[in-house]
Structures are given as C-alpha cells and as structure tokens.
Amino acid sequence: MSLAEANKNLKWDVRLTERNLNVGELKKDELNKHLEQLPDLASNVETFTMDGKNNSSADESH
C-alpha cells in the first residue's frame, strides 16, 4: 500500500481530522456531513470508575 492510499484510509481518523482540515484534504462541511451520518451508539456505553468498579445500578444492588 502506498503512503497516499494509507492517508486516504485515515481520512476520517479522529486524530487526523484537524490536520486534514488545515491542509485542505478535508472540508468542514464534508466532515460535518460525515459526523451526522454516524449512528448514535449511546445505548452501548458502559460506564466505569478509575477503581474498575461498574457504575450501573445492577452492580450497586449486590
């Protein structure tokens, strides 16, 4: 895989979006459209604390 192909594959990588915007490889409206099309996965979130204990109400009842 060439470097150009690798960069194209990383276009939507959240760590590179600011760089891509700054160098003109990505337009703000293109990024916004992409973000709007992402599914809402909020129901799949699992919360935790730094001590590793789960914060769900099911775990607190034990």
Side-chain angles (χ1 to χ4, degrees):
M1 175 185 308
S2 72
L3 180 57
E5 289 172 340
N7 283 337
K8 186 177 180 182
N9 290 338
L10 293 173
K11 180 178 184 174
W12 302 115
D13 189 311
V14 70
R15 298 166 295 182
L16 299 175
T17 52
E18 186 174 343
R19 175 205 170 270
N20 290 339
L21 288 167
N22 290 337
V23 299
E25 292 179 11
L26 181 63
K27 296 183 187 213
K28 187 71 171 175
D29 60 335
E30 184 181 14
L31 174 60
N32 288 336
K33 183 178 179 182
H34 172 73
L35 294 175
E36 289 171 1
Q37 293 176 352
L38 293 175
D40 182 1
L41 299 175
S43 63
N44 295 339
V45 171
E46 181 177 341
T47 58
F48 63 94
T49 61
M50 294 304 290
D51 62 6
K53 294 180 182 176
N54 189 323
N55 283 338
S56 71
S57 59
D59 286 346
E60 292 175 358
S61 65
H62 294 285

